[in-house]
Amino acid sequence: MLTTVNIPTNNKISIDLHCHSVNSDGSHQVKEVLDMAKANGGNYLALTDHDTVAGVTEAKMYAKEIGLNLIGGVEISVTWDGNSLVHILGLNVDETNLNLIENLNKLRMQRYLRGQKIAANLAKVGIQGALAGAMKYADSEESLSRTHFSRFLVDSGHAKPGKAFDKFLAQGKPGYVSQTWASLADAVSWIKDSGGVAVIAHPGRYKFTRTKLLRLITQFKELGGIGLEIISSSHSKDDAYSMAQIAKNEGLVGSVGSDFHTADEGYRKIMVGVNYPLPDNMCKAIYPLLGIPEPVYKTIT
Ligand code: AMP
Ligand code: MN
Ligand code: MN
Ligand code: MN
């Protein structure tokens, strides 16, 4: 049987444009994340913590020491179309831009208050101590995330690994608290005004109908958004192909990212810094817009 493989001919280029540290809901310090990316062969890494650029300065300094190219990034929480949660990545943003920092801080200030409400909801279904429990995993009140609640719920035996969202934390489940994050227009403008490019993160995760996804994309493009994340740990291979097709049709560039949060998850293994190529002959890649040389692949059959 013949199999086809893509071999990078300039295999020094390994690109990962989406990952997290303890500055949001990742479980590793910035330096640990970068060390892991480097050890996995990474060359270009964007640190994209939720609603903060707090780790980027440290990341850029440490990246220089270890010979990694660090791209300043952020993943902004957006409430769109009433009550849909969408994540917008800002890549190449200037981490010293005051407008960006101040607006992100306002979003982060809502997190602890929401955490108190999540804990109150969980108490109603018999789970006590969730706020203190979740805070044990969080670096600060402003970074408190549903991910930290999910770790608490799994470690305290209330949910099986990987099931805390389905059981308690996803929309419609007992612990869920609705929250108004940034508008799509604000998120894209903060990113653009700080010199970055905006990308819709993990579009396959939202489970939107095609019509709704295209409506999001149309609005996003009108606002100046340019990219769609194609490769993501939230995407199946089929998701990646259909998103690459949509990106091509819609004239968006494709992005790639692990969405790495932790090396300790147990039930699945997501690696940071590893390059997964975009599907062949489909959308254009985001790389030139970030000053990244395009990897060249040789197909061997
Ligand atoms: P928050 O910003 O606090 O609402 O938390 C959202 C985060 O929870 C995302 O960035 C993911 O890291 C994580 N998350 C969301 N949905 C799921 C899910 N179904 N399974 C595992 N993690 C999830
Ligand atoms: Mn996250
Ligand atoms: Mn996300
Ligand atoms: Mn993410």
Side-chain angles (χ1 to χ4, degrees):
M1 195 179 73
L2 282 176
T3 47
T4 303
V5 277
N6 290 317
I7 310 267
T9 51
N10 52 350
N11 61 1
K12 285 207 175 81
I13 300 175
S14 187
I15 306 158
D16 181 349
L17 301 174
H18 187 160
C19 71
H20 298 271
S21 73
V22 292
N23 288 288
S24 64
D25 59 348
S27 39
H28 305 280
Q29 300 291 335
V30 168
K31 286 182 179 174
E32 286 181 79
V33 175
L34 269 61
D35 281 337
M36 283 186 259
K38 182 76 187 172
N40 291 335
N43 297 100
Y44 286 86
L45 182 73
L47 179 68
T48 54
D49 274 307
H50 296 289
D51 308 321
T52 186
V53 287
V56 173
T57 303
E58 180 192 1
K60 282 188 175 169
M61 278 165 49
Y62 188 61
K64 272 201 187 125
E65 271 179 48
I66 64 170
L68 193 66
N69 296 290
L70 199 288
I71 292 155
V74 63
E75 182 174 20
I76 304 183
S77 313
V78 162
T79 302
W80 176 73
D81 196 41
N83 64 354
S84 295
L85 173 68
V86 170
H87 284 171
I88 301 295
L89 292 167
L91 298 174
N92 238 1
V93 291
D94 171 5
E95 69 280 9
T96 65
N97 183 284
L98 286 180
N99 179 56
L100 177 69
I101 292 170
E102 279 166 19
N103 283 305
L104 293 177
N105 279 344
K106 284 184 205 152
L107 287 185
R108 301 257 290 174
M109 274 157 49
Q110 305 178 40
R111 286 192 167 271
Y112 191 70
L113 202 63
R114 183 192 61 156
Q116 290 175 317
K117 294 180 190 161
I118 292 175
N121 282 354
L122 290 172
K124 284 185 206 151
V125 292
I127 299 171
Q128 305 301 328
L131 185 62
M135 275 307 298
K136 280 199 188 139
Y137 299 90
D139 216 44
S140 66
E141 293 184 355
E142 312 85 74
S143 64
L144 184 59
S145 158
R146 283 184 290 162
T147 305
H148 302 120
F149 281 94
S150 114
R151 295 203 178 120
F152 159 74
L153 289 165
V154 170
D155 291 348
S156 60
H158 292 290
K160 295 212 172 78
K163 295 290 172 206
F165 277 84
D166 290 351
K167 202 170 167 193
F168 294 110
L169 299 170
Q171 200 161 8
K173 304 296 167 172
Y176 187 78
V177 170
S178 87
Q179 180 83 30
T180 305
W181 300 106
S183 69
L184 184 65
D186 280 347
V188 175
S189 83
W190 302 338
I191 291 166
K192 284 177 58 187
D193 293 350
S194 60
V197 290
V199 172
I200 299 174
H202 43 60
R205 157 114 66 96
Y206 311 128
K207 305 281 177 240
F208 290 166
T209 60
R210 196 180 170 83
T211 313
K212 185 166 176 177
L213 180 58
L214 289 175
R215 190 151 53 82
L216 170 66
I217 288 173
T218 303
Q219 288 183 21
F220 178 69
K221 287 196 298 188
E222 280 168 8
L223 295 164
I226 55 109
L228 196 65
E229 202 172 42
I230 308 295
I231 303 293
S232 165
S233 51
S234 293
H235 285 173
S236 65
K237 211 167 186 192
D238 284 351
D239 287 335
Y241 275 93
S242 63
M243 293 309 158
Q245 187 69 58
I246 289 175
K248 184 180 184 186
N249 293 346
E250 296 298 313
L252 292 171
V253 292
S255 191
V256 300
S258 62
D259 205 358
F260 173 82
H261 285 73
T262 180
D264 312 321
E265 208 157 22
Y267 75 100
R268 61 176 177 173
K269 181 118 186 102
I270 293 167
M271 289 170 81
V272 65
V274 175
N275 192 73
Y276 295 97
L278 287 164
D280 285 337
N281 305 320
M282 294 180 89
C283 61
K284 290 202 173 99
I286 195 170
Y287 310 134
L289 298 173
L290 302 173
I292 302 174
E294 186 116 21
V296 180
Y297 295 98
K298 188 167 67 180
T299 300
I300 298 189
T301 359

